[in-house]
């Protein structure tokens, strides 16, 4: 522990819990309050990509951003490097 | 007109069955005719919490399948007039419950009772959606703890999507009941505060039940806490919640809260 860490006030566990929940639930709620949308999308995307490339479920990140004019769906899929790409159909 | 209430939570172990029994007891003590219905097929426990485990002959599945009449399966509470239990089956497959069958039984119950309280199983699978399907109003039981709040959020989404009311385009009436609350720990920043949970879930508060040994004592002896110890903190919290469900306006009391002069004078607004 450095000298600054000693003086820094530790964040109460309850506010860590609140912040984590707020971030998590904003992702899980999805568009128009349909809580299952993100999960359903995630499942379908995993299945579709998984037919062609081997992927780890935890390497798929899906985020929804709601804007006034435009909403976006961000899908980030990490796939294996060139050497281990298999074309499983 | 009878009201169908579902007690649900998503997460297990947060107090759905305790709440079903306590609200059922309180509403019956207020003079209502109440049926508490266990939807947790295979893992029934409401009979045990109600102290009727040795009186179960027929169950919900028998009635749904037409093997028994509703009147044969209903167990009359020996302590409180007007309180009845419809137990779940302990052995049969939960797939034996059909949408139509459950709807018919709920309809029969509505004709005889003022309140039909459905104790939902944990999870978000078929059992939980069957329990909420015919409800007019929902009580979402939540502990001030991250996994419980997250699961409640999922259940709230299901209540707004999978109930008959929601499918008909009507607003599903939902209330939040926070259980196992410890005001001292919340004040020390160790536990989510009531306001944190309300802000995250944005469902109006119907009551706060404190962590209490009375709840365990009530389950040990198989008596709803509102009947065993109506003057205890959890007993009072559940009685207040029951009266709010019945439409009374009662000031919200957070158990264990040190109340300042201003809140004592003007009350505390929740949700």
């Amino acid at each position: 522990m450095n000298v600054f860490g000693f003086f820094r006030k530790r964040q109460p566990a309850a506010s860590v819990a609140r912040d984590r929940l707020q971030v998590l639930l904003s992702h899980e709620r999805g568009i128009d309050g349909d809580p299952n949308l993100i999960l359903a999308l995630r499942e379908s995307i995993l299945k579709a990509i998984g037919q062609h490339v081997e992927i780890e479920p935890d390497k798929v990140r899906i985020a929804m951003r709601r804007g006034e004019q435009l909403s976006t769906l961000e899908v980030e899929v990490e796939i294996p490097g060139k050497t281990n790409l298999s074309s499983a159909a | 007109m009878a009201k169908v209430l579902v007690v649900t939570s998503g997460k297990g172990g947060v107090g759905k069955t305790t709440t079903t029994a306590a609200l059922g007891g309180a509403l019956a003590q207020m003079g209502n005719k109440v049926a508490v219905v266990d939807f947790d097929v295979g893992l029934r426990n409401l009979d045990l919490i109600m102290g009727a485990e040795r009186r179960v002959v027929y169950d919900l599945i028998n009635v749904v399948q037409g093997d028994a009449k509703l009147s044969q399966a209903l167990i009359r509470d020996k302590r409180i007039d007007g309180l009845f239990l419809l137990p779940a089956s302990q052995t049969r497959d939960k797939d034996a419950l059909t949408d139509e069958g459950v709807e018919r039984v709920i309809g029969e119950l509505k004709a005889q009772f003022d309140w039909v309280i459905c104790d939902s199983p944990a999870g978000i699978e078929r059992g939980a959606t069957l329990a909420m399907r015919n409800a007019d109003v929902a009580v979402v039981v939540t502990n001030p703890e991250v996994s419980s709040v997250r699961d409640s959020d999922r259940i709230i989404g299901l209540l707004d999507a999978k109930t008959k009311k929601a499918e008909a385009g009507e607003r599903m009436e939902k209330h939040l009941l926070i259980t196992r609350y410890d005001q001292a720990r919340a004040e020390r920043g160790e536990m989510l505060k009531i306001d944190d949970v309300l802000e995250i879930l944005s469902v109006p508060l119907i009551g706060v039940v404190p962590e209490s040994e009375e709840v365990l004592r009530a389950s040990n002896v198989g008596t709803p806490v509102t009947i065993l110890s109506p003057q205890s903190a959890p007993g009072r919290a559940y009685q207040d919640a029951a009266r709010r469900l019945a439409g009374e306006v009662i000031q919200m009391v957070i158990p264990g809260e040190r109340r300042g002069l201003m809140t004592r004078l003007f009350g505390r607004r929740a949700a």
Side-chain angles (χ1 to χ4, degrees):
Chain A
M1 182 196 286
N2 66 30
V3 88
F4 299 106
F6 184 76
F7 291 109
R8 199 171 45 218
K9 206 173 161 219
R10 213 166 54 139
Q11 201 185 1
S15 42
V16 177
R18 189 192 54 217
D19 296 347
R20 288 176 60 214
L21 274 169
Q22 273 165 343
V23 171
L24 174 71
L25 295 182
S26 70
H27 282 255
E28 287 185 346
R29 276 171 190 158
I31 281 180
D32 293 334
D34 179 354
N36 296 313
L37 180 65
I38 291 279
L39 292 166
L41 275 171
R42 202 188 136 80
E43 220 164 89
S44 306
I45 290 168
L46 274 175
K47 216 178 278 172
I49 299 176
Q51 284 182 337
H52 306 284
V53 189
E54 261 183 54
I55 46 171
E56 299 276 340
D58 59 346
K59 296 284 167 62
V60 178
R61 206 181 58 82
I62 298 178
M64 180 93 66
R65 281 177 221 291
R66 278 300 258 169
E68 283 293 319
Q69 307 291 325
L70 188 77
S71 296
T72 59
L73 178 70
E74 264 177 46
V75 183
E76 198 183 300
V77 185
E78 207 176 293
I79 54 173
K82 251 184 192 167
T83 44
N84 7 326
L85 253 180
S86 65
S87 53
Chain B
M1 183 61 191
K3 267 209 169 174
V4 181
L5 165 73
V6 62
V7 176
T8 186
S9 70
K11 190 175 183 301
V14 298
K16 282 181 297 296
T17 302
T18 298
T19 297
T20 302
L23 290 178
L27 285 164
Q29 274 176 323
M30 288 159 59
N32 294 291
K33 215 175 161 207
V34 181
V36 290
V37 185
D38 194 346
F39 271 83
D40 204 345
V41 173
L43 282 173
R44 74 167 178 225
N45 274 319
L46 188 55
D47 55 332
L48 203 52
I49 298 298
M50 297 285 292
E53 70 275 12
R54 296 172 59 169
R55 300 170 62 201
V56 176
V57 182
Y58 295 109
D59 57 53
L60 176 62
I61 291 185
N62 294 138
V63 183
V64 164
Q65 294 188 330
D67 300 331
K69 279 187 281 189
L70 182 58
S71 55
Q72 293 175 296
L74 282 170
I75 303 171
R76 174 197 294 270
D77 191 276
K78 286 180 171 169
R79 298 151 299 211
I80 301 287
D81 268 351
L83 182 58
F84 289 79
L85 163 71
L86 181 54
S89 161
Q90 183 68 314
T91 49
R92 299 212 206 173
D93 188 9
K94 60 181 181 301
D95 294 333
L97 289 179
T98 58
D99 270 358
E100 301 73 31
V102 169
E103 189 175 344
R104 177 178 57 79
V105 174
I106 296 285
E108 278 183 53
L109 286 166
K110 278 173 84 169
Q112 296 177 37
F113 290 92
D114 301 312
W115 286 90
V116 179
I117 309 182
C118 306
D119 184 17
S120 172
I124 53 171
E125 305 300 319
R126 196 172 137 73
T129 50
L130 265 176
M132 68 171 66
R133 183 140 185 83
N134 297 284
D136 302 303
V137 48
V139 165
V140 179
V141 183
T142 304
N143 292 166
E145 179 273 327
V146 284
S147 57
S148 173
V149 174
R150 179 202 212 170
D151 292 358
S152 291
D153 193 74
R154 291 291 307 279
I155 277 291
I156 290 163
L158 285 181
L159 286 166
D160 287 332
K162 297 273 171 109
T163 51
K164 276 170 66 187
K165 266 203 143 175
E167 282 173 7
E170 290 173 54
R171 200 185 65 89
M172 181 73 197
E173 185 185 336
K174 300 177 293 291
H175 302 280
L176 193 69
L177 183 79
I178 297 180
T179 55
R180 310 199 69 165
Y181 186 66
D182 186 332
Q183 175 69 15
R185 300 198 71 186
E187 274 173 11
R188 289 199 297 269
E190 296 169 12
M191 180 182 268
L192 286 168
K193 291 192 174 67
I194 303 294
D195 289 340
D196 293 338
V197 180
L198 290 176
E199 189 192 330
I200 292 165
L201 294 177
S202 29
V203 168
L205 187 65
I206 192 99
V208 179
V209 181
E211 174 78 70
S212 164
E213 31 193 78
E214 279 307 305
V215 173
L216 180 59
R217 200 166 77 86
S219 86
N220 283 341
V221 300
T223 306
V225 70
T226 41
I227 298 174
L228 181 74
S229 32
Q231 294 308 316
S232 66
R236 284 201 310 264
Y238 276 121
Q239 282 169 337
D240 283 358
R243 287 165 64 188
R244 289 186 192 105
L245 280 172
E248 288 182 47
V249 179
I250 297 166
Q251 190 190 313
M252 186 65 69
V253 178
I254 309 298
E257 192 175 52
R258 287 191 300 257
R259 283 148 57 80
L261 182 65
M262 295 306 272
T263 49
R264 239 179 291 163
L265 285 177
F266 300 110
R268 184 184 190 285
R269 283 186 56 106

